[in-house]
Amino acid sequence: MRSSVPPVHPAGLPFISAGLAVAAVGKATRSRTLRRAGLLAAGACAGFFRHPPRVPPTRPGVVVAPADGVVCVIDTAVPPPELALADVPLPRISIFLSLLDAHVQRAPVGGEVIAVQHRPGRFGSADLAAASADNERNSLVIRTPDGAQVIAVQIAGLLARRIVCDARVGDKLAIGDTYGLIRFGSRLDTYLPAGARTMVSVGQRALAGETVLAELP
């Protein structure tokens, strides 16, 4: 049952409960329309906030996708300035999440969280190139036991108005661990160490916690 109906992220429970409450009111008032609308809303929220189990790769030195979605950009860029890192362009892989994708985020590598920074911004379409610079975002830096640093940036989109990040500085994450969520359409940028070898291509679909984005140098 759990393999066909995945569990739901806790952040989605209030939305599902609201839909079920509307359905209950519809049943009590004998309003078939209201009952159906409530059930449809609850079902849609359960699908959006689904938290499917994933099995990360076991081979060392890989970076996995932090989110489900389509690889939309592979380039080099300077990491977000609020992280106060060196002003040096790094390999970057961006993943666009549609409304139909699972929106939980997973650690791209295992290691220690050494920085978490939130920056307010716009809510433009997340599939535009300007989204990385202009939209609201939350940046997470993870240092692997070998000393490599990987940055995962949650970027809000046109409909995404809430970024959830449960990770804190000092936390130890295993590769593929769930650490956050963005509500209703968004983008994830992953910045890799210089010399990392990209293993995906633009247009490819990625599964959070399973698809290998790159190999560390």
Side-chain angles (χ1 to χ4, degrees), residues 18-32 34-36 38:
L20 293 176
V22 171
V25 171
K27 183 177 181 180
T29 59
R30 297 184 179 180
S31 171
R32 183 174 297 179
L34 192 61
R35 182 169 179 268
R36 285 179 176 174

Side-chain angles (χ1 to χ4, degrees), residues 3-175:
S3 63
S4 58
V5 182
V8 172
H9 190 279
L13 296 179
F15 296 89
I16 298 170
S17 298
L20 293 176
V22 171
V25 171
K27 183 177 181 180
T29 59
R30 297 184 179 180
S31 171
R32 183 174 297 179
T33 301
L34 192 61
R35 182 169 179 268
R36 285 179 176 174
L39 290 175
L40 284 173
C45 288
F48 180 85
F49 287 102
R50 66 191 183 277
H51 188 186
R54 297 287 162 78
V55 181
T58 56
R59 73 179 189 271
V62 298
V63 180
V64 297
D68 287 14
V70 175
V71 176
C72 59
V73 173
I74 298 176
D75 63 0
T76 58
V78 175
E82 59 269 20
L83 291 173
L85 300 174
D87 191 19
V88 176
L90 296 174
R92 179 179 64 175
I93 300 175
S94 300
I95 296 174
F96 175 72
L97 296 78
S98 75
L99 285 174
L100 300 179
D101 290 310
H103 272 59
V104 295
Q105 276 83 63
R106 300 174 187 266
V109 291
E112 180 182 359
V113 177
I114 62 171
V116 180
Q117 289 289 338
H118 178 267
R119 196 211 73 165
R122 297 180 180 178
F123 296 99
S125 179
D127 60 347
L128 297 178
S132 293
D134 298 339
N135 286 16
E136 179 167 339
R137 61 181 179 244
N138 187 81
S139 302
L140 179 79
V141 184
I142 303 174
R143 179 181 292 154
T144 71
D146 294 329
Q149 288 189 178
V150 175
I151 305 165
V153 185
Q154 299 166 288
I155 300 172
L158 189 63
L159 299 177
R161 300 289 169 143
R162 181 76 168 91
I163 296 175
V164 178
C165 180
D166 298 321
R168 299 292 181 266
V169 172
D171 287 353
K172 301 292 198 304
L173 298 176
I175 187 170

